[in-house]
Amino acid sequence: MADPQPIDARIEAKLRSHLKIEHFEIADTSGNCGSSFAVVIVAPDFARKMTLARHKMVNQILVEEIAQLHAFSQKTFTPEQWAKEQSK
């Protein structure tokens, strides 16, 4: 049986259950048909990990959800990197 929760809500819930998220944004980049999403994730879990390792971590958490999407893009930051990003 399909999950009744919208996919964006499932993505957020799953990430929050696996990571200590301090900031999260999700945007439907498919023109609201729900097939493409972009996320911004800020979590201390990303400390001392290269971008590729962070993305692999997120992809493993969301393996089922990503399989249902046309496109998925992510930006991952530590809280320190996010603070710098916000001050630009």
Side-chain angles (χ1 to χ4, degrees):
M1 186 175 115
D3 192 323
Q5 214 179 17
I7 191 147
D8 56 340
R10 289 202 319 263
I11 288 170
E12 181 172 3
K14 207 161 189 186
L15 287 170
R16 286 190 184 278
S17 73
H18 286 81
L19 301 170
K20 292 182 207 77
I21 293 178
E22 293 188 6
H23 179 79
F24 180 82
E25 296 172 21
I26 188 164
D28 185 335
T29 56
S30 63
N32 290 325
C33 77
S35 64
S36 302
F37 289 94
V39 295
V40 175
I41 308 164
V42 181
D45 307 73
F46 297 139
R48 296 181 302 283
K49 286 187 170 49
M50 300 298 287
T51 303
L52 184 61
R54 295 173 184 188
H55 288 196
K56 279 184 175 175
M57 181 191 296
V58 170
N59 290 348
Q60 286 171 340
I61 293 168
L62 298 176
V63 70
E64 295 158 15
E65 289 74 16
I66 291 172
Q68 300 169 28
L69 298 176
H70 176 71
F72 179 77
S73 67
Q74 56 180 301
K75 291 185 179 174
T76 53
F77 300 96
T78 64
E80 297 75 21
Q81 289 170 324
W82 183 245
K84 279 186 197 152
E85 194 72 18
Q86 296 310 293
S87 66
K88 286 182 184 174

